[in-house]
Amino acid sequence: MSATPVRTPVGIVGAGPAGLFLAHLLHRQGIESVVLETRSREEVEGTIRAGVLEQWTVDLMQDLGLGDRMRREGHFHRGITLRFNGESWHLDFEDLTGGKRVTVYPQHEVLRDLIAARLANGGEIRFGVQDVQLHGLTTDRPRITYRNGDGEPEELHCDFIAGCDGSQGTSRQHVEGRTEYQHLYPFGWLGILVEAPPSHHELIYARHGRGFALLSTRSPDIQRMYLQCGPTDNAADFPDDLIWSELHRRLETVDGWTLTEGRIFQKNVIGMRSFVCDRMQHGRLYIAGDAAHIVPPTGAKGLNLAVADAVYLARGLEDFYGRGRRDRLEQYTATCLRRIWKAERFSWYMTTMLHTNPAEDPFEQRIHLADLDYVVHSRAAATALAENYVGLPLD
């Protein structure tokens, strides 16, 4: 027997960046919501994912009162270093963009902050729910059915549903008339976590004949590094000695810079793909975050795109409840897609420029090196890269 249905203005499916930011943005405007999440709180907070926050995302967290720990523990980078042909070139983002920079603060830490603040404010997050189903999306009374953590059926009645349940969630499947665009890259990343002090003060993106490499930081004692590998490779097939050998070769410089080694305590391989769903709403359902788009991590756009979706959707809902206007909700897909396709373009550009693609001929390989050479010697080209990396304006 189903429990008495719960009523809330907005039902949010998914406690990832899009869903949690949306909940906080709505709460600030006095619009209540309930967040449903299939994973436990421990699973959400324990899923380790890197995070590079654009300037406006950092500003938004501070504006929402969520930035205290980020300010203490995040790493604020003035720019990045591009490395190719054994030489390093620093791109000074603050100089190129009028003072903007990026913040390295892992996504799981962002989620911990959002969850803690949401619960402290009395907001609801129902973890561990199962069998989530959406109903009545083309009516003015949509509802969500699910089973709670004890397996009992429950219902959530809403005015609107936000599908923020990721690329494997159910929400996108309810968007009728959609077209899905996808591009699979012929390589992946082997990611490692290392107990070691930083080898460099900012991110290093390296292109090498043997493949791409990325040097990042997680904390003063933990570093994150990546190696280009095959998309279906198994992390267990990469012994530590091989990993260090490849990292040294791909990151080496003619001036004798050295990489600091340490104990590798985590390895994983991630595939690389781009994905866009060209319709992000159906009736009273609006999808956001990974449910609507995926970018390769080279451009550091994934989390920031999810937050932008949440901002645009929150604005539409604020207009609906505060002014009785629907125009922003009606334009939600078009507004989001303008930003999404620019982020997809930039992520594709960074990925193809920095990786060695076995399917490309020597001519194409030289074009990518010429592109890198142009970026580091042209202020206009460097500015274009910097503007995209630190985050394009929301409006």
Side-chain angles (χ1 to χ4, degrees):
M1 187 87 179
S2 176
T4 302
V6 173
R7 183 93 174 90
T8 188
V10 183
I12 301 174
V13 185
L20 291 172
F21 267 100
L22 177 61
H24 280 282
L25 289 164
L26 295 177
H27 178 74
R28 183 170 64 172
Q29 296 299 319
I31 303 168
E32 294 310 312
S33 62
V34 173
V35 181
L36 304 177
E37 171 57 53
T38 58
R39 296 169 295 170
S40 68
R41 180 178 180 178
E42 292 72 21
E43 289 173 316
V44 173
E45 296 181 343
T47 301
I48 308 299
R49 296 187 67 178
V52 176
L53 307 183
E54 296 175 355
Q55 180 68 65
W56 71 268
T57 304
V58 171
D59 295 341
L60 177 63
M61 288 188 66
Q62 294 175 341
D63 185 49
L64 289 170
L66 303 170
D68 289 349
R69 197 162 67 92
M70 174 189 63
R71 286 194 297 270
R72 294 194 306 270
E73 301 178 14
H75 299 268
F76 301 93
H77 289 193
R78 184 181 180 94
I80 62 171
T81 292
L82 295 177
R83 186 168 289 179
F84 60 101
N85 292 336
E87 295 185 308
S88 293
W89 303 88
H90 177 250
L91 298 187
D92 189 330
F93 289 169
E94 286 194 337
D95 174 57
L96 292 165
T97 65
K100 295 180 181 178
R101 58 183 180 177
V102 295
T103 301
V104 178
Y105 189 59
Q107 178 170 311
H108 60 279
E109 302 294 354
V110 174
L111 294 182
R112 287 174 183 170
D113 296 342
L114 294 174
I115 290 170
R118 169 76 173 169
L119 298 177
N121 290 334
E124 282 196 75
I125 308 175
R126 301 184 181 184
F127 293 102
V129 307
Q130 300 298 324
D131 193 25
V132 176
Q133 302 291 330
L134 312 183
H135 311 271
L137 300 177
T138 58
T139 73
D140 59 1
R141 289 291 183 268
R143 60 193 176 91
I144 307 171
T145 60
Y146 61 95
R147 294 187 179 275
N148 62 26
D150 296 324
E152 298 297 325
E154 295 193 7
E155 284 190 12
L156 185 63
H157 288 205
C158 327
D159 297 326
F160 298 94
I161 297 175
C164 309
D165 49 353
S167 61
Q168 303 302 315
T170 186
S171 296
R172 186 176 71 249
Q173 307 310 315
H174 290 273
V175 178
E176 297 181 0
R178 68 189 187 279
T179 299
E180 298 181 357
Y181 299 87
Q182 179 164 262
H183 178 74
L184 299 177
Y185 296 86
F187 39 74
W189 280 7
L190 170 68
I192 62 170
L193 283 173
V194 181
E195 286 184 352
S199 297
H200 195 62
H201 65 283
E202 61 190 8
L203 284 85
I204 298 177
Y205 288 80
R207 180 186 173 100
H208 190 275
R210 297 181 63 84
F212 169 77
L214 172 62
L215 178 68
S216 181
T217 191
R218 179 62 55 79
S219 74
D221 304 309
I222 304 296
Q223 311 310 313
R224 184 71 162 166
M225 305 177 196
Y226 297 94
L227 282 172
Q228 179 182 339
C229 63
T232 60
D233 284 351
N234 191 325
D237 294 332
F238 290 85
D240 291 3
D241 288 348
L242 174 61
I243 292 173
W244 288 119
S245 174
E246 286 297 317
L247 282 169
H248 280 290
R249 294 176 73 172
R250 299 184 195 187
L251 289 166
E252 66 184 5
T253 62
V254 294
D255 62 6
W257 176 90
T258 57
L259 174 68
T260 303
E261 296 186 14
R263 182 181 72 88
I264 298 174
F265 63 92
Q266 185 187 91
K267 305 177 188 178
N268 66 300
V269 172
I270 58 173
M272 306 280 280
R273 70 180 179 121
S274 298
F275 171 84
V276 177
C277 178
D278 77 337
R279 188 168 296 184
M280 297 173 59
Q281 60 196 98
H282 175 67
R284 291 293 185 100
L285 168 68
Y286 298 82
I287 63 173
D290 285 1
H293 43 76
I294 300 288
V295 290
T298 327
K301 294 290 159 223
L303 184 153
N304 299 284
L305 271 185
V307 181
D309 293 345
V311 170
Y312 292 137
L313 182 51
R315 288 177 179 176
L317 292 169
E318 290 163 14
D319 271 4
F320 176 84
Y321 285 107
R323 303 174 183 87
R325 296 183 56 175
R326 296 174 177 265
D327 49 318
R328 277 184 166 174
L329 285 176
E330 292 170 354
Q331 292 298 313
Y332 171 71
T333 290
T335 303
C336 290
L337 284 179
R338 289 188 64 205
R339 187 178 192 86
I340 290 164
W341 278 115
K342 289 183 178 72
E344 293 283 355
R345 182 210 67 83
F346 179 68
S347 299
W348 173 89
Y349 162 73
M350 290 286 285
T351 302
T352 54
M353 180 173 65
L354 288 163
H355 287 72
T356 301
N357 186 342
E360 291 182 338
D361 60 35
F363 177 86
E364 293 170 296
Q365 298 287 343
R366 296 299 304 181
I367 289 295
H368 297 315
L369 287 170
D371 207 350
L372 281 164
D373 190 55
Y374 177 54
V375 166
V376 301
H377 287 100
S378 165
R379 184 174 179 88
T383 299
L385 189 153
E387 286 178 345
N388 281 272
Y389 200 102
V390 301
L392 297 174
L394 276 176
D395 297 310

